[in-house]
Structures are given as C-alpha cells and as structure tokens.
Amino acid sequence: MTALPLLQSQVPGYPCRRGKVRDVYDLSDCLVIVATDRISAFDWVLPTGIPDKGRILTGLTLFWLKQLNVANHLLTTDLQQMPAPFAAQADVLEGRTMLVRKARVVPIECVVRGCLAGSGWKEYRQSSKVCGIPLPAGLHESQQLPEPIFTPSTKEETGHDQNITWQQMVQVTGPAVGEELRRRSIDIYRRAADYARIKGIVIADTKFEWGKLPNGELILIDEVLTPDSSRFWPLDQVQPGKSPPSFDKQFVRDWLETTGWDKNSPPPELPADVVARTRAKYLEAYEKLTGRELKAK
C-alpha cells in the first residue's frame, strides 16, 4: 500500500525555508534538507503530492554522490546523528532527509546538455546556437550533440531560470571559478551519462548546483541527476526528430494542459491516475539507475 504524500515537514525549533520541493532547516553551522513529495509545474507548486517522490529524489542523489565520488555537501542521512526533533520524526523523515555542510551558493545553474531538447532546441532552430555556442547545421530535435555543452543559466527564486552566455556567467563568478565549474560539470555529466546509457537511460541534459566552502573549495550541493533536475529518456525510444517520453512529470504537464487552467491562478488537484502514473515513472528511473527497489515504508 502506498503511503500518503508528505506535502510539508514540520520540525520545531529551527528556522525553515521552503522551496518548491525541499524544506531546508538552518542548524546554524549546517543544514537539514528534507525532500517532500511536492511537485511543481509551470512555476506553481501543485496542491497534490506524489507519494514517495522525495524519497526517490533523495535516494537517487545519494546513489550518484557515491557513484561519482565528487566532493559534496553531504554529512549524513542518519537521523540519530541529527538533533532530537528530527530523530523523533523518523517515521516521516527516514529516506528523505540529509544533514549537509553549509556552503555559499554559486548563483548560477550549471546546465550541461548532451542532446538537443527544450529551450536549447528552440534556440538552435532560431540561431543554430545554444546560449551563444555555435552548433553544426542540420541537427534534429533529441539528437545527441557531437560533444556535451555547458550552458549556464541564472538561478531565479521565482519563475524560470534564464539562459546566459559564458561571458555573462564569468562576470558573476570570475574566469577561474567559471572554468572550474564548466570543467567539473561536464566531467560529471559525461560519467553519469555513460553509466545511465548502460542502464537504458539517456540523460539528455541536467543541471548542477555548486557551493563554496569558507576555504574556497567548490562542492556539489542540492539534488544530483534526478528526474527533477535532469531530462531522462528511455534509450530505446529516442529518435532524432521526435520528442521522446521522459521519466518525470510529463504526465502532470500533459494533464494540466487539458484542464483549461490559466497558469495564473492556483492549479487544480491532480486525479489519482495521473498521480499513480507519475509516481511509477519516477520509480522506474530510480530502479533502472540504481538496480534496486525503493525500500517499502
């Protein structure tokens, strides 16, 4: 039996900042991140959650951090090593909670694209470029690029992140940090994409977030290579010139488009079949990539 979705965590005694999906508690010297089952679409958080979504996102992030062996913010997922109010809610928080190091967030979304899709495909059709990067003529939607490209964007608190050029990014980060972010982001993407392909999944694109420790070290933060931060396609359904199905909230977007919702007022509740199919897609991505089933609650 599927558990009810967790739409909001409630841990007393600590300041909490709530994003679209995550509740972030400030412990002064570190943070606790709780991945809820909230889901967003068209820049709105929907009133209906997807059961286990937060556990799937956390499980995938933990899997990739171990698989990729890259410096990151994770300290522990053991609730018994967190303050007592978190440990007291183990039945709710288990599997979706991380204690992490604090870092100064680099205010850039580090996007790496391996295939032409989304805003990249739209821009390519207009200019044969993506974020100012010239690409060969004659490429098709969903086609694999000759080499992965680094296409940064702004990190917006509300609304859509905006694509920017390398030159615009360097004005924010400086050239040395910018070059390190580009090199490390592309390296992680390459290794993850090679692994995922063996498992039958194409990682068309993804975005990484980085933070800087007091000593200046850049570390990977937030979620890593999940269906919320990446475009995952089934390898056997990718055809250049067509938009393949994806392992994410496409069912949700497609259903919302049929409802007459104006995208400017609170969104409607999701029907049970859309919730179930969306959960199944997230779960399928998790199981294909990790090779294991999600632990039952």
Side-chain angles (χ1 to χ4, degrees):
M1 183 176 161
T2 305
L4 292 173
L6 177 69
L7 291 180
Q8 186 169 293
S9 63
Q10 298 286 355
V11 180
Y14 300 95
C16 179
R17 179 173 55 82
R18 303 189 194 275
K20 287 180 179 175
V21 174
R22 284 164 184 77
D23 294 343
V24 181
Y25 293 87
D26 193 333
L27 275 55
S28 183
D29 58 339
C30 52
L31 303 171
V32 170
I33 300 177
V34 179
T36 72
D37 296 327
R38 295 193 292 268
I39 189 167
S40 65
F42 305 111
D43 297 323
W44 283 84
V45 175
L46 305 184
T48 316
I50 306 298
D52 294 318
K53 177 173 176 276
R55 296 173 62 228
I56 291 167
L57 298 183
T58 302
L60 270 172
T61 293
L62 296 173
F63 166 79
W64 284 118
L65 291 178
K66 186 175 180 181
Q67 177 78 15
L68 296 166
N69 192 27
V70 60
N72 63 79
H73 66 166
L74 178 66
L75 292 171
T76 185
T77 57
D78 183 355
L79 287 160
Q80 301 308 314
Q81 294 185 40
M82 300 181 203
F86 294 94
Q89 295 192 40
D91 57 329
V92 175
L93 301 179
E94 190 71 51
R96 62 172 76 246
T97 305
M98 302 192 302
L99 180 70
V100 304
R101 291 186 282 180
K102 268 189 171 178
R104 188 160 52 86
V105 177
V106 177
I108 298 289
E109 299 277 8
C110 291
V111 180
V112 183
R113 302 174 189 268
C115 302
L116 263 184
S119 62
W121 167 239
K122 185 177 179 182
E123 190 179 341
Y124 173 79
R125 280 188 298 169
Q126 294 170 345
S127 65
S128 293
K129 296 179 181 178
V130 176
C131 293
I133 300 171
L135 293 174
L139 296 178
H140 301 285
E141 183 179 14
S142 308
Q143 187 166 347
Q144 186 171 345
L145 298 172
E147 294 287 335
I149 58 173
F150 179 77
T151 60
S153 67
T154 59
K155 189 172 166 52
E156 302 293 339
E157 290 298 319
T158 58
H160 284 300
D161 299 333
Q162 301 295 317
N163 291 344
I164 57 175
T165 64
W166 167 254
Q167 289 75 18
Q168 289 172 309
M169 172 182 162
V170 168
Q171 287 175 3
V172 175
T173 64
V177 169
E179 189 52 56
E180 184 177 353
L181 290 172
R182 175 164 64 180
R183 177 182 59 78
R184 292 177 66 184
S185 296
I186 289 176
D187 171 67
I188 293 170
Y189 170 81
R190 280 185 193 278
R191 292 192 284 132
D194 287 348
Y195 171 87
R197 185 170 283 269
I198 295 168
K199 299 294 184 179
I201 289 180
V202 172
I203 304 179
D205 52 47
T206 193
K207 66 179 180 183
F208 300 111
E209 297 195 37
W210 297 86
K212 188 177 280 193
L213 295 176
N215 66 3
E217 181 187 2
L218 286 169
I219 59 170
L220 202 53
I221 63 172
D222 203 47
E223 64 182 322
V224 180
L225 293 153
T226 73
D228 275 13
S229 67
S230 317
R231 209 181 302 260
F232 290 164
W233 294 335
L235 177 60
D236 59 3
Q237 295 183 54
V238 177
Q239 289 179 276
K242 295 183 179 180
S243 179
S246 53
F247 290 98
D248 61 10
K249 49 193 171 189
Q250 195 59 49
F251 285 126
V252 171
R253 293 191 204 98
D254 290 347
W255 181 80
L256 286 169
E257 293 283 21
T258 69
T259 62
W261 174 50
D262 63 6
K263 300 175 188 169
N264 291 311
S265 56
E269 293 273 357
L270 298 176
D273 66 312
V274 172
V275 170
R277 291 164 76 191
T278 301
R279 179 181 180 274
K281 276 295 170 190
Y282 276 84
L283 202 53
E284 185 181 359
Y286 174 86
E287 291 174 350
K288 275 180 174 283
L289 288 167
T290 67
R292 54 181 181 256
E293 294 184 0
L294 190 70
K295 285 183 182 176
K297 283 293 283 181

